[in-house]
């Protein structure tokens, strides 16, 4: 059974940092492209970042470029998102998605940026 | 960057056909896919490569494409199909979701 489990969310003050993790199981993680997608409360889905299966190709949405860093550890079947300089606009549920088109999703982790 | 445009809401009665459109220049050269999201749940793919249906998705879900528009059709919509639907596409260094369509079946 395919499983993606995100963690690392929580309450953080504006300007702060968080590191999200996503642990995968039930499929060959190293063969899959991965994405982070977020959803602000009551809003739609927003693509955040992409990383190729090897980690050699990385893309970011303009809204997070320069502040967020995506990475992966294929030996640990894990995906990460380092988030710096967080603002209220970054408050959202963050999902990891497996596959170029997000074939599989985790249940998400909530990030709340507030003082 | 690319944009995908969907209607904000669609409403049908049970058993009727629901159609949700998604338009954007990216769709002229790349496939579109559709996600269904119910409250409190993660999205689920219901259509990929414009018209392919994953295993486990009911046959009443179908997709089509024409130039810069993809369409999700739910033939004989059921109450359990009530959800938010998002189109998605990817090209080069861009990945983009449509704004989402709230489907009401009542």
């Amino acid at each position: 059974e395919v499983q993606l489990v995100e963690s690392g969310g929580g309450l953080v003050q504006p300007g702060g940092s968080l590191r999200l993790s996503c642990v995968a199981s039930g499929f060959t993680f190293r063969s899959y492209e991965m994405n982070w997608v977020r959803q602000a409360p009551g809003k739609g889905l927003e693509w955040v970042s992409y990383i190729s299966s090897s980690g050699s190709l990385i893309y970011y949405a303009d809204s997070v470029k320069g502040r967020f860093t995506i990475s992966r550890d294929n030996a640990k079947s894990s995906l990460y998102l380092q988030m710096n300089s967080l603002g209220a606009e970054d408050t959202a549920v963050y999902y990891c998605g497996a596959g170029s088109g997000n074939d599989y999703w985790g249940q998400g982790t909530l990030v709340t940026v507030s003082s | 960057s690319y944009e995908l445009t969907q209607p904000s809401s669609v409403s049908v009665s049970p058993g009727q056909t629901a159609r949700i459109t998604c338009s954007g220049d990216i769709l002229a050269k790349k496939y579109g896919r559709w996600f269904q999201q119910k409250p409190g749940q993660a999205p689920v793919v219901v259509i990929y490569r414009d018209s392919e249906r994953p295993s486990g998705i009911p046959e009443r879900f179908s997709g089509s494409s024409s130039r810069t528009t993809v369409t999700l059709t739910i033939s004989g919509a059921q109450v359990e199909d009530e959800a938010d639907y998002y189109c998605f596409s990817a090209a080069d260094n861009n990945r983009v979701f449509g704004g989402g369509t709230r489907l009401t079946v009542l």
Side-chain angles (χ1 to χ4, degrees):
Chain A
E1 179 194 4
V2 172
Q3 265 201 318
L4 294 166
V5 180
E6 301 95 337
S7 62
L11 176 64
V12 61
Q13 291 191 339
S17 299
L18 273 180
R19 189 192 194 211
L20 306 183
S21 300
C22 169
V23 178
S25 60
F27 66 100
T28 308
F29 178 79
R30 64 179 179 274
S31 299
Y32 273 71
E33 301 158 278
M34 298 293 295
N35 292 276
W36 284 101
V37 176
R38 67 185 181 183
Q39 187 169 34
K43 302 297 185 181
L45 301 173
E46 179 189 14
W47 169 74
V48 172
S49 185
Y50 160 95
I51 187 167
S52 63
S53 56
S54 67
S56 60
L57 277 177
I58 286 175
Y59 306 132
Y60 298 99
D62 289 342
S63 57
V64 306
K65 201 172 295 182
R67 301 187 299 123
F68 289 12
T69 302
I70 191 172
S71 62
R72 65 190 296 161
D73 184 339
N74 285 344
K76 296 182 177 180
S77 296
S78 294
L79 176 73
Y80 306 101
L81 187 68
Q82 176 67 42
M83 305 187 296
N84 298 330
S85 303
L86 287 163
E89 68 277 10
D90 298 313
T91 293
V93 173
Y94 285 73
Y95 296 99
C96 61
S100 175
N102 300 300
D103 302 314
Y104 309 118
W105 296 66
Q107 285 304 305
T109 186
L110 176 62
V111 173
T112 304
V113 184
S114 176
S115 54
Chain B
S1 60
Y2 296 101
E3 291 185 358
L4 293 174
T5 301
Q6 304 177 227
S8 59
S9 64
V10 169
S11 183
V12 298
S13 299
Q16 286 189 328
T17 296
R19 292 184 180 86
I20 302 173
T21 58
C22 172
S23 299
D25 291 341
I26 192 175
L27 298 173
K29 57 179 181 176
K30 295 296 181 179
Y31 290 117
R33 60 174 49 199
W34 290 94
F35 293 93
Q36 176 194 68
Q37 186 181 34
K38 295 182 177 180
Q41 298 182 18
V44 172
V45 180
V46 294
I47 294 291
Y48 66 100
R49 286 186 186 175
D50 291 346
S51 59
E52 299 293 322
R53 190 176 57 250
S55 60
I57 300 301
E59 290 184 6
R60 62 181 180 272
F61 288 86
S62 64
S64 61
S65 173
S66 177
R67 286 184 44 80
T68 59
T69 299
V70 292
T71 301
L72 173 67
T73 300
I74 307 173
S75 303
Q78 306 294 306
V79 173
E80 59 264 32
D81 299 331
E82 192 163 282
D84 293 326
Y85 291 85
Y86 296 90
C87 58
F88 171 86
S89 190
D92 306 319
N93 61 345
N94 279 289
R95 278 98 179 99
V96 60
F97 287 93
T101 299
R102 174 68 54 87
L103 175 65
T104 302
V105 183
L106 53 74

